[in-house]
Amino acid sequence: MDTFSHALWGYGLFGIRKYPKFAALMGAMPDLISFGALMLTRVIDGTYRWGKPALASLPDWIYPAYTVGHSFVIAFAVIGLVAIWRKDIAFAMLGWPFHITLDFPFHSLEYFPTPMLWPLSDYKIDGIPWSNWYIWLPNVAGIILLLAYRQRQKRKRLNGL
Ligand SMILES: [Zn+2]
């Protein structure tokens, strides 16, 4: 899914009680450390172009950055360690594995399939790209419903006081 959708899902699902900005950041993090970092370097050196970068134009470092961010194994290992120390922070980090859950059925083998089990396995799914309207529009509808529901809950909580 696009990075902004990921941030909103992270915020809506896991940033309810505490750390809303951090939850949004963790939802988007796997893309920020890979494509976000690439965009930043290209903006800085003046070579940034709008749209999906061509595979041949990508630097080598983007692959390990993408792999580490898009692995359930890494995500749950890190979150598990954080949970020993702070459960509330670990909860806000769950947007990270949710990001992977949204990516693996919606990336094809042609363009960054999700290495969800790395380093245990190289298994990847040939999914349907999220850029198809029939994937992306339900995604946006889901976000709108989730945020509307959260807003209602918040209002109820405030009225209850
Ligand atoms: Zn992603």
Side-chain angles (χ1 to χ4, degrees):
M1 220 56 73
D2 65 285
T3 309
F4 193 60
S5 290
H6 281 304
L8 291 177
W9 280 112
Y11 162 76
L13 290 172
F14 306 108
I16 313 125
R17 280 176 218 109
K18 285 176 165 184
Y19 316 119
K21 284 184 196 139
F22 178 64
L25 186 73
M26 286 311 292
M29 184 277 285
D31 292 348
L32 294 179
I33 61 168
S34 48
F35 283 94
L38 176 71
M39 189 176 137
L40 194 69
T41 59
R42 291 198 167 163
V43 166
I44 289 168
D45 68 19
T47 57
Y48 178 71
R49 297 274 174 285
W50 177 255
K52 187 164 101 172
L55 277 178
S57 75
L58 294 172
D60 287 341
W61 60 259
I62 201 163
Y63 294 97
Y66 193 86
T67 298
V68 167
H70 286 79
S71 158
F72 282 124
V73 181
I74 305 292
F76 283 118
V78 172
I79 293 170
L81 286 175
V82 173
I84 297 170
W85 167 62
R86 286 280 298 270
K87 290 228 164 36
D88 54 346
I89 293 181
F91 180 78
M93 291 174 78
L94 290 174
W96 178 8
F98 190 74
H99 179 131
I100 304 167
T101 307
L102 269 184
D103 269 0
F104 83 76
F106 301 129
H107 275 247
S108 70
L109 287 179
E110 268 161 49
Y111 202 81
F112 286 85
T114 307
M116 55 184 155
L117 298 176
W118 185 88
L120 301 180
S121 157
D122 259 343
Y123 180 72
K124 286 167 188 145
I125 283 177
D126 191 16
I128 309 161
W130 57 261
S131 46
N132 287 299
W133 66 268
Y134 53 87
I135 307 286
W136 196 73
L137 284 185
N139 157 64
V140 172
I143 291 171
I144 291 170
L145 283 176
L146 173 65
L147 296 184
Y149 173 69
R150 288 289 176 228
Q151 204 53 39
R152 241 187 66 190
Q153 273 188 324
K154 206 178 188 177
R155 228 176 295 136
K156 263 193 196 159
R157 254 202 321 271
L158 290 175
N159 289 339
L161 287 175

